[in-house]
PDB file of all heavy atoms in Angstrom:
ATOM      1  N   THR W  95     -18.679  -1.313  11.050  1.00  0.00           N
ATOM      2  CA  THR W  95     -19.818  -0.432  10.731  1.00  0.00           C
ATOM      3  C   THR W  95     -21.087  -0.890  11.464  1.00  0.00           C
ATOM      4  O   THR W  95     -21.871  -0.057  11.901  1.00  0.00           O
ATOM      5  CB  THR W  95     -20.046  -0.329   9.203  1.00  0.00           C
ATOM      6  OG1 THR W  95     -19.902  -1.627   8.625  1.00  0.00           O
ATOM      7  CG2 THR W  95     -19.029   0.568   8.553  1.00  0.00           C
ATOM      8  N   ASP W 127      -6.422   0.992 -18.168  1.00  0.00           N
ATOM      9  CA  ASP W 127      -5.674  -0.131 -18.720  1.00  0.00           C
ATOM     10  C   ASP W 127      -4.836  -0.836 -17.646  1.00  0.00           C
ATOM     11  O   ASP W 127      -4.278  -0.185 -16.763  1.00  0.00           O
ATOM     12  CB  ASP W 127      -4.762   0.395 -19.835  1.00  0.00           C
ATOM     13  CG  ASP W 127      -4.635  -0.603 -20.967  1.00  0.00           C
ATOM     14  OD1 ASP W 127      -5.266  -1.681 -20.867  1.00  0.00           O
ATOM     15  OD2 ASP W 127      -3.912  -0.310 -21.939  1.00  0.00           O
ATOM     16  N   TYR W 160       2.051 -10.492  -1.519  1.00  0.00           N
ATOM     17  CA  TYR W 160       2.751  -9.243  -1.213  1.00  0.00           C
ATOM     18  C   TYR W 160       4.232  -9.462  -1.425  1.00  0.00           C
ATOM     19  O   TYR W 160       4.708 -10.603  -1.391  1.00  0.00           O
ATOM     20  CB  TYR W 160       2.472  -8.769   0.224  1.00  0.00           C
ATOM     21  CG  TYR W 160       3.150  -9.621   1.277  1.00  0.00           C
ATOM     22  CD1 TYR W 160       4.346  -9.218   1.865  1.00  0.00           C
ATOM     23  CD2 TYR W 160       2.606 -10.843   1.640  1.00  0.00           C
ATOM     24  CE1 TYR W 160       4.985 -10.026   2.806  1.00  0.00           C
ATOM     25  CE2 TYR W 160       3.239 -11.639   2.580  1.00  0.00           C
ATOM     26  CZ  TYR W 160       4.424 -11.229   3.156  1.00  0.00           C
ATOM     27  OH  TYR W 160       5.056 -12.023   4.071  1.00  0.00           O
ATOM     28  N   ALA W 174       5.189 -23.280 -16.996  1.00  0.00           N
ATOM     29  CA  ALA W 174       3.738 -23.220 -16.778  1.00  0.00           C
ATOM     30  C   ALA W 174       3.309 -24.350 -15.851  1.00  0.00           C
ATOM     31  O   ALA W 174       2.560 -24.110 -14.890  1.00  0.00           O
ATOM     32  CB  ALA W 174       2.989 -23.296 -18.106  1.00  0.00           C
ATOM     33  N   SER W 339      18.553   9.658   6.573  1.00  0.00           N
ATOM     34  CA  SER W 339      17.552   9.631   7.663  1.00  0.00           C
ATOM     35  C   SER W 339      17.090   8.190   7.820  1.00  0.00           C
ATOM     36  O   SER W 339      16.549   7.601   6.885  1.00  0.00           O
ATOM     37  CB  SER W 339      16.335  10.489   7.303  1.00  0.00           C
ATOM     38  OG  SER W 339      16.733  11.805   7.085  1.00  0.00           O
TER      39      SER W 339
END
Side-chain angles (χ1 to χ4, degrees):
T95 42
D127 216 0
Y160 72 99
S339 301

